[in-house]
Amino acid sequence: MTISHPLDATRVRRTVPPPFAAELTGTLSVHAQYVLHGNIRDDYIVRDDLDDGTDRLRAVGLEDVLWEQLRRAGFQVLLRYDAVAGFTIARSVEGLDMETLLQRNTRKVPGRPDPADEEDRVERVFRSFARGWAGERPGPPQDNPRYEDYQQPVPAALLVGYASRIPTQVNQLSDAERTFFLRCLKIAEEAPPIPRAKSRRALFNPIVWLADGERDLPSWMVTTGVRVRSIGVPMPDLGQRRRMAALLAHQAGVPPTATTLDVGPLVNGATREEVTDEQIETFARSARGLTLRAMRESMRLARDRRIPFAEMDRAVRAYELGKSQTPWTGGAVAESIRRGEDEVRKRVLGQEKAVTQTLDVLKRAALGLSGAQASGSGHRPRGVLFFAGPTGTGKTELAKAVATMLFGSEDACLRFDMSEFSAPHSADRLVGAPPGYVGYEAGGELTRAVREDPFRVVLFDEIDKADKGVLDKFLQVLEDGRLTDGQGVTTYFSECVLIFTSNLGVHGPSGPDGRPLTPADPLGRLPETPEEQAQFEQEILSNVRHHFEHTLKRPELLNRFGGNIVVFQYIDRDTARLIFQGQLRNIADHMERQSGIRLHVLREAEEALVEECVRDRRNGGRGIGMKLETHLINPLARGMFDDLADDLKPGTVVTVSRVEVGGDGAVRLDLSATSSEPLTMSKAPW
């Protein structure tokens, strides 16, 4: 489809096609078949040099691009074939009766056996096509002066559409499929070049296979066939997107009565929009990763939703995600941050600086300023954070708190434990297996979940444990905000907040195997003063940098995080005591909900437990929980089960009056049970 004003073709001095079309038409003297793969269903920019010294740009489809070049080379017809529609005529010169020839060529021929299946029928047509139907064209009798003209071959080209869908599994061809492609390869080897009367060039009648990927057809067709050429059709670059944006800008405000364009009517009645170069540039950059046809569809969507050209980046986002209004627009997220900031600080204790850094990134994202210093940043994730520091200090908890604050629920935090992705090829679980492999139909866990709900926090826990192949997948996500899965479906992460956690660098720089170069000192003193904590933070940052640059050899991945590495400190004693009290309340609440039994810990016993639980703070809140399990939950369960079983019923108060830890580490509790007001229970405590 031409997306420019009509112009007299006689004024065109020369047409400059896309490189792939020039490569195809420029090698027709040596190649009989082509595998055209990649971006094959797009619009393509063509430049016409006019005889008055000016030029014009047009956006045309694949068939038009090829036909314009083929016709100049002397071709008379462009055919297409696919398994659904069969053989049809795409383009043809006037006066050429191809319909009769195709009908005669595809029907059963009297006196010949009927082809056993469709592959045989198609192969027969391919063979006749490669010879230009020499001697097969219906025409006048032999005594007619024009008889010889009809015996000459017809210069033609054939497009085989949806070629990727012809083989069931390209790496496991059936006998019929293998025979079909082998016959096609043989046709390419035996096809004669057809002389052109005017140019005296001898060119093949090309069969052009239109495939999604280069490997969607048997590789041996290209590698063993010297007459078969593979040509990739790339995605449009920024320059092509600029030209397409300019073409569409020229149509911004086309009257509703126009019939040659399909991007929609004016946004505001009959008022034509005044489009600036800056708006064209914004549109082109926001369409990064999109095809030119997708840009046209984005424009059509903008017309339908009454979005002006000045806000085409919003239309592009709506085209990608299917939603024009998002939690990030209209101030909804900003208001959520204002309301939830204090709650996050209460939920993650003892990490004031880390929480402040995290909130700064989120506030920046809410204002649309993430990556604003870089050009073409519109597709990057809303926020990217790397939480580094000791275990049990609140990294995962802060990620969950962020999800709750931004999107109203902890379920909005999509968590991946990266220790499950430590094996080679485990990246297939995230983005889906390649075609032909087990699990291909299921798609990727990450890409599928984000497509279902693009507004969420994605947490990659313990990222240092992931395989290097998995880490490489994050390069495109962090840079372009998109990821293409094994099925070729693109997932956009532009509305997500990505959070990576790790305890990298806590025990010093790591070696090639990922282990610390220097063993940790279990008795070393934890940083307490502000100066010691600042030094600890710099050591963590230095060790993280060493790990990415020397152990993983992925400095480019570290650069994607930039200044968004947030260091968590070891918790201090006051914070540890608060965490202990919170976990003790959780134990008591759980007992009351589960069995109706109330737990009461006397002050002397509580102080003894505190002393045991916060003595070593290297494992943070998680370590406190493990100590509570060892020093309270386990002996409490044993005493209730063995000694107090007869006295327990809903409403009973179990009192812990004393905690004693023996020299061998065994813990003994002094327990007593007293009756209280019975609670309404649906079942007994056991």
Side-chain angles (χ1 to χ4, degrees):
M1 186 200 74
T2 301
I3 310 183
S4 65
H5 289 303
L7 189 65
D8 187 359
T10 59
R11 293 180 54 195
V12 178
R13 177 172 52 85
R14 185 186 63 154
T15 297
V16 181
F20 74 87
E23 180 182 353
L24 189 151
T25 55
T27 57
L28 287 172
S29 60
V30 291
H31 296 296
Q33 293 186 23
Y34 295 85
V35 179
L36 208 60
H37 59 87
N39 185 31
I40 58 173
R41 297 183 180 89
D42 200 1
D43 291 333
Y44 309 95
I45 300 296
V46 173
R47 190 186 82 231
D48 292 327
D49 293 336
L50 308 180
D51 55 12
D52 61 359
T54 61
D55 59 54
R56 68 167 180 176
L57 296 177
R58 293 179 292 132
V60 299
L62 180 65
E63 290 183 356
D64 287 330
V65 165
L66 295 178
W67 175 240
E68 288 180 5
Q69 300 304 305
L70 291 169
R71 187 173 182 180
R72 287 188 176 90
F75 284 81
Q76 298 180 10
V77 63
L78 176 64
L79 304 177
R80 66 168 80 93
Y81 167 79
D82 63 68
V84 176
F87 289 92
T88 55
I89 301 172
R91 304 288 187 277
S92 177
V93 297
E94 293 183 7
L96 183 64
D97 184 12
M98 285 302 303
E99 289 286 355
T100 303
L101 181 58
L102 277 182
Q103 291 174 7
R104 179 176 179 180
N105 203 210
T106 55
R107 72 188 179 201
K108 183 181 184 302
V109 179
R112 296 184 186 177
D114 195 27
D117 49 37
E118 179 66 14
E119 285 84 357
D120 290 341
R121 187 185 302 273
V122 171
E123 181 266 336
R124 188 182 70 187
V125 179
F126 282 8
R127 190 174 298 278
S128 294
F129 161 83
R131 298 194 305 268
W133 298 278
E136 299 182 28
R137 293 174 62 190
Q142 290 187 356
D143 57 356
N144 190 299
R146 298 189 60 193
Y147 173 78
E148 287 299 328
D149 294 339
Y150 280 83
Q151 301 305 305
Q152 299 302 314
V154 178
L158 172 63
L159 303 180
V160 182
Y162 305 100
S164 299
R165 302 296 173 258
I166 295 177
T168 306
Q169 290 188 5
V170 71
N171 56 349
Q172 295 181 359
L173 297 175
S174 65
D175 292 341
E177 291 170 340
R178 187 178 295 105
T179 301
F180 170 73
F181 285 112
L182 183 58
R183 287 175 177 174
C184 292
L185 179 59
K186 189 176 180 181
I187 290 173
E189 296 295 332
E190 297 176 351
I194 299 174
R196 301 301 189 266
K198 292 183 179 180
S199 64
R200 298 183 180 179
R201 298 175 64 195
L203 306 178
F204 289 98
N205 274 7
I207 298 176
V208 183
W209 304 83
L210 303 180
D212 297 326
E214 186 176 12
R215 299 182 180 180
D216 290 352
L217 295 179
S219 58
W220 45 263
M221 282 191 65
V222 178
T223 57
T224 63
V226 295
R227 292 276 183 86
V228 183
R229 186 184 188 97
S230 175
I231 300 178
V233 183
M235 293 289 288
D237 57 22
L238 179 58
Q240 292 171 322
R241 297 199 307 273
R242 282 195 187 109
R243 290 188 280 274
M244 186 64 171
L247 285 173
L248 293 171
H250 187 71
Q251 301 164 32
V254 170
T257 56
T259 58
T260 58
L261 305 172
D262 65 349
V263 294
L266 291 167
V267 171
N268 297 314
T271 305
R272 188 179 181 88
E273 294 181 71
E274 296 295 333
V275 179
T276 65
D277 291 342
E278 183 179 358
Q279 292 169 355
I280 292 175
E281 181 72 13
T282 300
F283 182 16
R285 290 187 177 276
S286 67
R288 182 176 184 178
L290 294 185
T291 64
L292 301 187
R293 182 166 295 180
M295 292 180 65
R296 176 160 55 87
E297 297 303 314
S298 298
M299 179 78 167
R300 183 189 294 183
L301 181 66
R303 305 292 94 177
D304 178 65
R305 299 193 179 186
R306 318 294 289 180
I307 298 175
F309 194 90
E311 300 178 20
M312 278 304 300
D313 55 340
R314 183 159 66 92
V316 169
R317 194 178 300 276
Y319 177 81
E320 292 175 342
L321 303 174
K323 305 174 183 177
S324 57
Q325 297 298 325
T326 75
W328 295 99
T329 59
V333 167
E335 185 60 30
S336 297
I337 294 175
R338 292 189 187 95
R339 292 198 309 265
E341 184 172 352
D342 291 340
E343 189 63 31
V344 171
R345 296 185 186 278
K346 293 176 183 177
R347 186 167 173 177
V348 182
L349 302 174
Q351 303 293 343
E352 279 301 315
K353 184 176 180 180
V355 171
T356 299
Q357 282 184 266
T358 300
L359 290 172
D360 286 346
V361 171
L362 298 178
K363 292 173 182 177
R364 184 177 70 197
L367 295 174
L369 296 176
S370 295
Q373 73 280 7
S375 61
S377 60
H379 282 76
R380 292 180 179 179
R382 288 284 181 170
V384 175
L385 290 157
F386 188 103
F387 292 166
T391 183
T393 52
K395 299 188 293 295
T396 303
E397 186 68 18
L398 181 54
K400 295 178 180 179
V402 166
T404 302
M405 178 182 66
L406 294 180
F407 305 117
S409 171
E410 197 171 292
D411 293 337
C413 181
L414 177 63
R415 179 177 178 270
F416 290 93
D417 188 342
M418 301 313 292
S419 63
E420 300 179 9
F421 298 86
S422 58
H425 309 299
S426 57
D428 292 347
R429 282 184 54 193
L430 289 176
V431 301
Y437 287 80
V438 176
Y440 164 70
E441 297 82 2
E445 296 177 16
L446 171 61
T447 52
R448 186 175 64 248
V450 173
R451 281 199 303 272
E452 291 173 356
D453 183 5
F455 309 105
R456 63 197 321 167
V457 172
V458 185
L459 171 63
F460 301 100
D461 228 350
E462 305 296 342
I463 187 62
D464 54 295
K465 295 180 173 61
D467 181 70
K468 292 182 180 180
V470 176
L471 296 177
D472 291 339
K473 296 294 183 183
F474 295 126
L475 286 173
Q476 185 180 5
V477 175
L478 296 175
E479 181 65 23
D480 300 330
R482 56 189 170 88
L483 196 60
T484 303
D485 63 16
Q487 295 177 325
V489 180
T490 300
T491 301
Y492 297 94
F493 292 78
S494 55
E495 306 303 312
C496 294
V497 174
L498 306 184
I499 299 179
F500 302 81
T501 75
S502 173
N503 55 12
L504 273 174
V506 175
H507 304 302
S510 54
D513 59 354
R515 298 181 179 180
L517 293 174
T518 56
D521 180 10
L523 301 178
R525 180 174 175 272
L526 299 182
E528 300 284 356
T529 65
E531 293 77 12
E532 292 173 340
Q533 290 180 346
Q535 182 181 355
F536 176 74
E537 179 177 344
Q538 291 305 312
E539 289 177 356
I540 292 288
L541 294 174
S542 176
N543 294 337
V544 168
R545 184 177 301 107
H546 181 278
H547 181 82
F548 278 96
E549 292 178 351
H550 300 285
T551 303
L552 295 178
K553 295 181 173 57
R554 297 290 191 278
E556 65 277 8
L557 185 58
L558 180 65
N559 291 338
R560 299 301 192 277
F561 296 120
N564 295 344
I565 300 179
V566 179
V567 176
F568 284 64
Q569 298 284 342
Y570 286 104
I571 59 175
D572 56 28
R573 288 189 63 88
D574 292 339
T575 301
R577 179 179 284 272
L578 291 175
I579 294 174
F580 167 84
Q581 292 172 347
Q583 294 186 359
L584 185 60
R585 283 195 302 271
N586 292 340
I587 295 172
D589 292 343
H590 183 78
M591 284 182 59
E592 191 165 351
R593 286 195 308 270
Q594 185 74 15
S595 58
I597 297 174
R598 298 170 180 170
L599 175 66
H600 180 53
V601 181
L602 297 183
R603 186 169 186 81
E604 179 184 350
E606 182 177 337
E607 289 299 323
L609 285 172
V610 168
E611 185 60 30
E612 291 293 332
C613 292
V614 305
R615 180 177 297 148
D616 183 4
R617 292 174 279 114
R618 292 186 180 277
N619 291 321
R622 192 170 291 114
I624 294 173
M626 291 187 295
K627 287 287 187 179
L628 264 175
E629 187 175 89
T630 303
H631 290 75
L632 176 62
I633 296 178
N634 289 347
L636 176 63
R638 182 172 62 246
M640 292 172 61
F641 198 92
D642 296 339
D643 303 329
L644 303 178
D646 296 337
D647 301 326
L648 296 180
K649 59 183 180 180
T652 300
V653 177
V654 174
T655 302
V656 181
S657 56
R658 188 163 178 264
V659 178
E660 181 179 347
V661 181
D664 58 353
V667 180
R668 188 176 70 84
L669 304 182
D670 287 348
L671 302 176
S672 61
T674 57
S675 298
S676 180
E677 291 295 328
L679 298 177
T680 302
M681 296 292 296
S682 59
K683 59 180 180 178
W686 307 114

